[in-house]
Amino acid sequence: MSAHRQYELVYLLPAEASEAEQAELQSQVEGIVSRFSGTIEKTENWGRRRLAYEIGPHREAVYVLHVINGPGELIKELDRRLKVTDKVIRHLVVRVDEEIRVAERQRAERQAHLAQRRVERGLPPETEEPAAPRNDDAEQAEV
């Protein structure tokens, strides 16, 4: 079985879509996710917003975001279903777990590098407390 990964799904509904239509589509998405043993971590309704460019007759749309954990088959099925759903103007699914892992790895490497530089300078290892913010103006005044 494939590994569960984290994805962000954003879809656009027509601005005229009623609350009932939004809830119906959201329940369809939840049903598909549960059928493929996935989970929805977060759902955000961003509300009605103006589109960057017209899509057909639409100038505004309702934006909805879902953060989903699940296998790749789940995303394939969601993508297939959203393509044929007339209520959805556009949708986009992005895998985000890899980006989070890369950011954590870069943060750890940066901290290790800073600790090594402190040791090379003969300074004690940095404590867990965050350092006080630097005041660059006061430093420049001293020079």
Side-chain angles (χ1 to χ4, degrees), residues 115-129:
Q116 180 183 0
R117 287 182 57 198
R118 287 185 64 84
V119 169
E120 289 173 356
R121 292 181 189 159
L123 299 172
E126 190 171 285
T127 61
E128 294 296 321
E129 298 176 13

Side-chain angles (χ1 to χ4, degrees), residues 134-141:
R134 290 181 45 189
N135 188 349
D136 291 335
D137 295 333
E139 236 178 71
Q140 290 176 354

Side-chain angles (χ1 to χ4, degrees), residues 13-138:
L13 300 171
E16 308 83 39
S18 67
E19 294 289 327
E21 291 174 333
Q22 293 176 27
E24 179 187 340
L25 185 60
Q26 185 171 341
S27 66
Q28 288 178 8
V29 169
E30 290 171 355
I32 294 168
V33 170
S34 64
R35 190 165 22 136
F36 281 89
S37 69
T39 58
I40 296 180
E41 277 193 23
K42 178 172 64 171
T43 299
E44 291 182 9
N45 186 334
W46 292 346
R48 184 175 174 169
R49 295 177 179 229
R50 185 170 180 180
L51 297 172
Y53 54 91
E54 288 184 29
I55 301 174
H58 305 285
R59 293 176 184 250
E60 292 183 340
V62 176
Y63 286 66
V64 180
L65 166 76
H66 293 288
V67 177
I68 300 170
N69 288 326
E73 293 83 28
L74 161 66
I75 302 306
K76 287 180 187 175
E77 180 65 15
L78 272 174
D79 189 45
R80 186 185 73 78
R81 291 276 185 98
L82 291 173
K83 281 181 183 176
V84 298
T85 303
D86 291 336
K87 296 177 195 171
V88 177
I89 299 173
R90 288 275 197 279
H91 73 280
L92 178 67
V93 181
V94 179
R95 181 176 155 199
V96 294
D97 63 343
E98 186 66 28
E99 294 172 2
I100 294 170
R101 196 174 317 134
V102 167
E104 288 173 356
R105 185 175 60 232
Q106 288 176 344
R107 186 178 311 119
E109 288 173 359
R110 188 170 41 248
Q111 288 174 346
H113 178 70
L114 290 174
Q116 180 183 0
R117 287 182 57 198
R118 287 185 64 84
V119 169
E120 289 173 356
R121 292 181 189 159
L123 299 172
E126 190 171 285
T127 61
E128 294 296 321
E129 298 176 13
R134 290 181 45 189
N135 188 349
D136 291 335
D137 295 333

